[in-house]
Amino acid sequence: MIEISIRKATSIDAGRLNQALEQLSMDLGDTHRAGIGDLVRHGFGDHPAFLALLAERESGVIEGALIASPLFSTSLGGAGLYVSDLWVSDMARGQGLGLRLLKAALDEASSDWTIRFLKLAVHNHNTDARRFYERLGFHDLPDETVLSLQGVALESLRNHT
């Protein structure tokens, strides 16, 4: 079996990271709106908004990717990571790579934080991913509903006086 290594992505990897995230979007039937420029600007500047990891074979083939962002919860008592994207290629599924990517995210998180929790959302139709996360111990938060503000509504809030 060929070893798959996991490492923190850099700005040089933005194109390959974007390809992996495009594949994730295709696998989910989702729209992929972020591009290479967005990844570079928001992930690899002086104040990155996210941590990105790549899982690759010795040949350079990308078999997995993860993007996670820091968050803080007073009710959970500390810092956490929100895993917005986790992708494992069809060829690498079932080999523990998803688990390894999640652990690597914990290991790569800023040493200034004590990560107390991971949080993520799963598409309702992605039952395989849901089973994977539940096997790891993730569970529903019955007292929470995920809400999103975007587009015209976001601009309205931004411009509110």
Side-chain angles (χ1 to χ4, degrees), residues 95-112:
Q95 298 177 34
L97 187 55
L99 171 68
R100 288 180 54 211
L101 280 161
L102 288 168
K103 180 177 180 330
L106 290 173
D107 293 343
E108 289 290 339
S110 173
S111 61
D112 296 334

Side-chain angles (χ1 to χ4, degrees), residues 63-121:
E63 297 289 1
L66 177 144
I67 289 186
S69 302
L71 68 150
F72 188 86
S73 171
T74 56
S75 64
L76 295 176
L81 286 176
Y82 179 78
V83 178
S84 58
D85 297 288
L86 174 59
W87 172 75
V88 174
S89 72
D90 288 339
M91 293 293 294
R93 288 193 185 143
Q95 298 177 34
L97 187 55
L99 171 68
R100 288 180 54 211
L101 280 161
L102 288 168
K103 180 177 180 330
L106 290 173
D107 293 343
E108 289 290 339
S110 173
S111 61
D112 296 334
W113 311 331
T114 300
I115 301 299
R116 296 188 173 273
F117 62 95
L118 291 177
K119 199 170 196 179
L120 51 80

Side-chain angles (χ1 to χ4, degrees), residues 27-144:
D27 291 350
L28 293 172
D30 203 1
T31 302
H32 184 81
R33 291 188 177 95
I36 295 170
D38 299 310
L39 293 173
V40 170
R41 177 175 176 227
H42 297 291
F44 305 107
D46 291 336
H47 304 285
F50 62 82
L51 159 73
L53 301 174
L54 291 173
E56 65 185 329
R57 294 188 184 274
E58 291 174 5
S59 64
V61 172
I62 301 298
E63 297 289 1
L66 177 144
I67 289 186
S69 302
L71 68 150
F72 188 86
S73 171
T74 56
S75 64
L76 295 176
L81 286 176
Y82 179 78
V83 178
S84 58
D85 297 288
L86 174 59
W87 172 75
V88 174
S89 72
D90 288 339
M91 293 293 294
R93 288 193 185 143
Q95 298 177 34
L97 187 55
L99 171 68
R100 288 180 54 211
L101 280 161
L102 288 168
K103 180 177 180 330
L106 290 173
D107 293 343
E108 289 290 339
S110 173
S111 61
D112 296 334
W113 311 331
T114 300
I115 301 299
R116 296 188 173 273
F117 62 95
L118 291 177
K119 199 170 196 179
L120 51 80
V122 180
H123 285 249
N124 291 331
H125 67 276
N126 196 349
T127 55
D128 289 341
R130 185 175 184 102
R131 278 192 299 274
F132 164 73
Y133 293 125
E134 287 174 346
R135 279 194 309 269
L136 294 179
F138 284 85
H139 56 77
D140 284 332
L141 296 173
D143 294 336
E144 289 189 18

